[in-house]
Amino acid sequence: PLLLQQAKALASELRPWNDLPGTALLPLTRRAPSSESGIRPNAHTAKGRALLARLVPEEACPADFTPARARTLALALLRSLIRSYGAGGETCTDGKPWRAQWQSAYWAALAGEACWLLWDDLSPEERWLAARMICDEADRFVGVVPPTQLQRDSKAEENAWNSQVISLAASMFPAHPRHAVWRETAIRWIASAFARRADLEETEIVDGRPLRDWLTGANVFDDFTLENHNRVHPDYLACTYLLTSQIPVYAWGGLPPPEALHRNVLAIHRTLRLLATP
């Protein structure tokens, strides 16, 4: 009901992208069209509508917002997002593509999951653009050591959101020659996200290796707290959802989800409840 309510309310706000029929974006409220404010809300909205189109039965929808309507609007958003990403030479209305930014991997994962849900509705060109968006963002992290930091600004949530598009590439394209590389890279970034100091010495086998072999540093203190914005921050403890929400993606691809997706999640949740409930 909440997804339907929000999707219906946002439908009236959409505007054509570059005046092209069959495209749409939410109006920009601040900052550049190629920035987080321009892309992230649209990627979230596209995924929400794609989920409604695929998973909500007709009888659960109001007469003026059917699954078919959700599908049409999701596709309009996706056509704008995959074209303005820049793989095909097109850009956002500020003349810049939104690719390869600090959070673009997260936006590409959201839009990419929506593309996968509606893959049969995309044209061959649109599928190519979507695949380029997903694979190009995943490739940014191959061979890169995940950053770590304990004091003031944990890299936990950043590593977690970056891991999403790598997992998506590995799950969507099992026949791609880089599939195995993406799979291993995804595990490394997943494992790094909420790793503690104690995990750096952990010999328990996780996804085929001792946990310590996946890690180069810690983002979480041994008491399962972390710091962001210069303080212990419950909001960022809650970002373990960026890991657990990947489980359906692996299921869609018929792949076993990495064991690292569950590492420290329950313990961090208990800490979150302790801090946030009062």
Side-chain angles (χ1 to χ4, degrees):
L2 288 173
L3 272 173
L4 283 165
Q5 178 181 326
Q6 187 169 23
K8 181 179 175 181
L10 290 173
S12 62
E13 297 187 24
L14 293 177
R15 298 292 181 270
W17 172 72
N18 278 353
D19 296 322
L20 292 176
T23 67
L25 285 177
L26 292 166
L28 185 67
T29 57
R30 58 187 178 89
R31 296 180 62 191
S34 58
S35 71
E36 176 185 5
S37 297
I39 305 301
R40 181 174 173 178
N42 286 288
H44 270 292
T45 305
K47 181 180 174 181
R49 290 197 167 121
L51 287 166
L52 288 172
R54 284 297 303 269
L55 301 177
V56 177
E58 187 92 25
E59 58 270 20
C61 297
D64 57 350
F65 200 86
T66 63
R69 176 68 171 156
R71 184 183 302 270
T72 297
L73 294 175
L75 289 168
L77 285 163
L78 290 175
R79 291 187 184 106
S80 305
L81 289 166
I82 59 178
R83 291 185 183 282
S84 59
Y85 175 74
E90 296 181 79
T91 63
C92 300
T93 53
D94 60 357
K96 300 177 182 178
W98 60 265
R99 64 191 302 169
Q101 297 186 51
W102 74 285
Q103 201 186 59
S104 59
Y106 182 37
W107 316 332
L110 293 166
E113 288 178 34
C115 287
W116 199 3
L117 285 163
L118 302 179
W119 196 251
D120 291 346
D121 296 295
L122 299 176
S123 69
E125 180 194 17
E126 290 164 349
R127 293 179 190 176
W128 182 86
L129 288 169
R132 279 291 307 271
M133 173 186 70
I134 294 162
C135 297
D136 285 1
E137 287 294 315
D139 277 342
R140 290 175 54 209
F141 304 99
V142 174
V144 177
V145 176
T148 57
Q149 186 168 327
L150 278 171
Q151 294 183 326
R152 297 181 299 280
D153 183 18
S154 169
K155 303 304 177 185
E157 86 287 355
E158 296 175 30
N159 291 2
W161 78 46
N162 286 333
S163 72
Q164 289 190 322
V165 78
I166 316 170
S167 291
L168 181 62
S171 299
M172 276 189 79
F173 306 114
H176 195 287
R178 294 177 73 76
H179 166 77
V181 173
W182 288 331
R183 170 81 175 179
E184 181 173 328
T185 302
I187 295 171
R188 186 171 302 282
W189 282 78
I190 289 165
S192 75
F194 294 92
R196 300 181 302 152
R197 283 170 166 166
D199 294 330
L200 302 179
E201 304 299 326
E202 180 58 66
T203 60
E204 178 186 350
I205 301 300
V206 175
D207 294 305
R209 300 182 189 176
L211 179 61
R212 66 185 183 187
D213 289 358
W214 290 111
L215 306 175
T216 58
N219 283 308
V220 179
F221 293 106
D222 286 341
D223 63 358
F224 298 103
T225 62
L226 59 74
E227 293 183 4
N228 214 312
H229 297 284
N230 299 310
R231 65 185 178 93
V232 173
H233 207 312
D235 282 8
Y236 289 88
L237 288 169
C239 283
T240 53
Y241 84 90
L242 293 166
L243 298 187
T244 54
S245 62
Q246 296 181 41
I247 295 171
V249 171
Y250 282 94
W252 297 349
L255 300 174
E259 297 167 346
L261 287 172
H262 300 281
R263 187 74 191 181
N264 293 337
V265 169
L266 290 178
I268 290 172
H269 179 64
R270 286 192 290 268
T271 300
L272 173 63
R273 290 172 60 190
L274 179 67
L275 292 173
T277 301

